[in-house]
Amino acid sequence: MVSMDTLVSLCKRRGFVFQSSEIYGGTGSCWDYGPLGVELKNNIKRVWWRDFVQRRPDMVGLDASILMHAMVWKASGHVDHFTDPMVDCRECRHRFRADQIDEMPWVHYCPATKGNKFTIPAGEVCTHCGARRTLCPDCGKGELTAPRQFNLMFKTFMGPVEEDAAVTYLRPETAQGIFVNFDNVLQSTRRKLPFGIGQIGKAFRNEITPGNFIFRTREFEQMEIEYFVNPHDTVEGRPADEHWHDRWIEDCLAWFKRYGIQEENLRLHEHGPDELAHYAKRTADVQFRFPIGWSELMGIANRTDFDLKQHAKWSGKALTYFDEERKEHVVPFVIEPSAGVDRALLAFLADAYREEEVRGEKRVVLRFHPELAPVSVAILPLLKKRDDIVRTAHALRDELARDLTVVYDDTAAIGRLYRRQDEVGTPYCVTVDVQTVGASDKGEAADGKVTIRDRDSMEQVRVPAARVRAVIGELLGGRPWADVAAAAGGAEAPATRAS
Ligand code: GAP
């Protein structure tokens, strides 16, 4: 697996992700998505929305506001319970999550070696003096304060007066916007159970120890689904909530694999009794093998009827569904597949990263699924001094850019241009050369064909320029490269042209 440092440096160099407010020294754990990052992020959100909301007959969408009534967070339990235990170093003032401090390497000034400084791996004792960590893991000198509970919600004020009555919060999850709109959606869409509501949006958490690039940040985006199920129904002899929970776990795993995440980098983690939230009947996390090790990519929880009941209690409004068959009002159970956009982006990026050797040289390539790749096609004129080549290349760019993300690059030799596109994961390059436009001075006729080059195999085929949009469309739609190559009369191996 690629290292985090390699990814951070590639992301900055090629315009995927920049540190927020970098010219002022940067902010703690906020990141900005650059020209390629925003395309990648939009593609992830687009295919998620298409696959889970638009294409499913049992789903609808929602876009709730970030600022909500303060009571929402009282009812949801976030005001009282959305806390992490925090400790501070009395010496260097660094702050840590008390429950994660033993998972960090620690600095130790060892008395058995005249006070030499060592950095000892997480959880281990000093091999010289046998000491365990008791002091600050960062400076190795300061005493730590006793743990205090720290609420992770960002507090703010609604309106001009900063008084208690005006306090509200930036939402720490998008989910509550769905719960409080349950009845609005039910009434306006006349849905029957089971059905779900999907939402993509920003969430904010004042994390004590953000870090690991975009893995844990204070501002991030979530793609969440609340799937409402009649708890009195059974499917295939099992309670409907349990059946749907399993189905959503399968669907989420299949979705990540469909967009290229390798099977060996994904696994499920079932929450044990000590991890399970008090409202959850069962939670399974999809974990990914991140550069920092196996960690949560998304969670899929059975939240039972907890949230709807809480909001009904605090708002005084019934949040029930009328079961026509049984002639009874029920509070649906909720299955919640909840994924972070930024974390998904990091997973897609890390999984796609490859270093390969091509004819004795290193090639860095991001093997993104073509639908996720930030740039779908690069148009590369072989000679930038030939007006007819440049004109043809620009015309192609304009045609493809109507509905695809396209770049035009003529700033280096063709081999270098291909490598640049490989490094950002562009699945197809289209080259316009002398053969395309002909060379009248040498009596060579134009063949009107351009070269399409496949990122992964580095093979090339020549197709009529007029067919390029259609061929690229087929490739992006899933038609195998080998098929396209065969239809075009066979592919040329990477070595026969500059690749
Ligand atoms: N509504 C349920 C919920 O919010 P969660 O496990 O706290 O559950 C869901 O968050 C997902 O949101 C996580 O699996 C992760 O992908 C993402 N996420 C949570 N906190 C994050 C943070 N501080 N930075 C980036 N992503 C985060």
Side-chain angles (χ1 to χ4, degrees), residues 173 175 205 207 214-217 220 222 224 296-299 303 336 338-340 343:
E173 60 174 15
R205 295 182 190 177
E207 300 278 2
I214 52 173
F215 180 83
R216 190 180 306 284
T217 53
F220 56 98
Q222 289 186 311
E224 293 203 292
E296 177 185 336
L297 173 55
M298 70 172 298
R303 296 180 72 123
E336 181 192 63
S338 172
R343 224 173 257 192

Side-chain angles (χ1 to χ4, degrees), residues 90-273:
R90 295 187 198 279
E91 191 81 22
C92 70
R93 304 274 163 219
H94 278 183
R95 185 159 276 183
F96 308 93
R97 265 181 64 171
D99 54 341
Q100 288 179 350
I101 204 159
D102 287 330
E103 293 158 24
M104 304 171 64
W106 55 288
V107 169
H108 176 53
Y109 292 92
C110 176
T113 61
K114 298 189 182 147
N116 280 346
K117 181 181 173 185
F118 297 98
T119 300
I120 298 177
E124 293 186 13
V125 297
C126 174
T127 48
H128 303 286
C129 68
R132 291 189 176 282
R133 186 203 59 75
T134 51
L135 302 173
C136 170
D138 268 4
C139 70
K141 291 179 178 158
E143 300 268 346
L144 296 173
T145 59
R148 285 171 290 152
Q149 290 300 326
F150 172 75
N151 195 297
L152 300 186
M153 283 198 295
F154 279 97
K155 220 184 226 182
T156 186
F157 297 92
M158 200 79 98
V161 188
E162 295 195 2
E163 59 188 13
D164 282 356
V167 165
T168 189
Y169 304 90
L170 301 187
R171 67 180 177 200
E173 60 174 15
T174 61
Q176 300 303 324
I178 299 181
F179 294 128
V180 300
N181 276 296
F182 169 72
D183 198 50
N184 284 334
V185 174
L186 189 63
Q187 299 308 328
S188 58
T189 63
R190 299 174 188 283
R191 289 275 148 179
K192 296 264 175 275
L193 292 180
F195 77 93
I197 304 176
Q199 174 166 223
I200 299 178
K202 289 267 185 175
F204 303 83
R205 295 182 190 177
N206 202 0
E207 300 278 2
I208 297 169
T209 48
N212 291 318
F213 194 30
I214 52 173
F215 180 83
R216 190 180 306 284
T217 53
R218 295 195 168 117
E219 173 180 341
F220 56 98
E221 235 173 326
Q222 289 186 311
M223 309 184 279
E224 293 203 292
I225 291 166
E226 306 302 329
Y227 196 78
F228 301 96
V229 178
N230 190 332
H232 300 151
D233 283 350
T234 54
V235 184
E236 294 161 9
R238 298 173 63 209
D241 59 307
E242 294 178 11
H243 166 85
W244 282 106
H245 197 177
D246 281 340
R247 285 285 304 275
W248 275 108
I249 292 170
E250 285 162 23
D251 287 358
C252 292
L253 276 170
W255 188 82
F256 282 109
K257 287 184 207 160
R258 177 173 165 196
Y259 291 102
I261 301 267
Q262 299 164 90
E263 185 136 18
E264 65 264 30
N265 289 335
L266 284 175
R267 72 179 189 193
L268 266 191
H269 165 74
E270 290 283 344
H271 282 213

Side-chain angles (χ1 to χ4, degrees), residues 69-81 173 175-176 179-182 228 278-280 303-320 331-334:
H69 198 291
M71 291 286 272
V72 168
W73 307 111
K74 193 77 192 153
S76 67
H78 283 83
V79 169
D80 297 321
H81 304 298
E173 60 174 15
Q176 300 303 324
F179 294 128
V180 300
N181 276 296
F182 169 72
F228 301 96
H278 61 281
Y279 50 76
R303 296 180 72 123
T304 68
D305 53 9
F306 173 83
D307 302 272
L308 290 179
K309 276 190 170 159
Q310 279 296 105
H311 287 300
K313 184 172 130 196
W314 284 79
S315 68
K317 304 280 185 316
L319 295 176
T320 54
V331 182
F333 268 34
V334 177

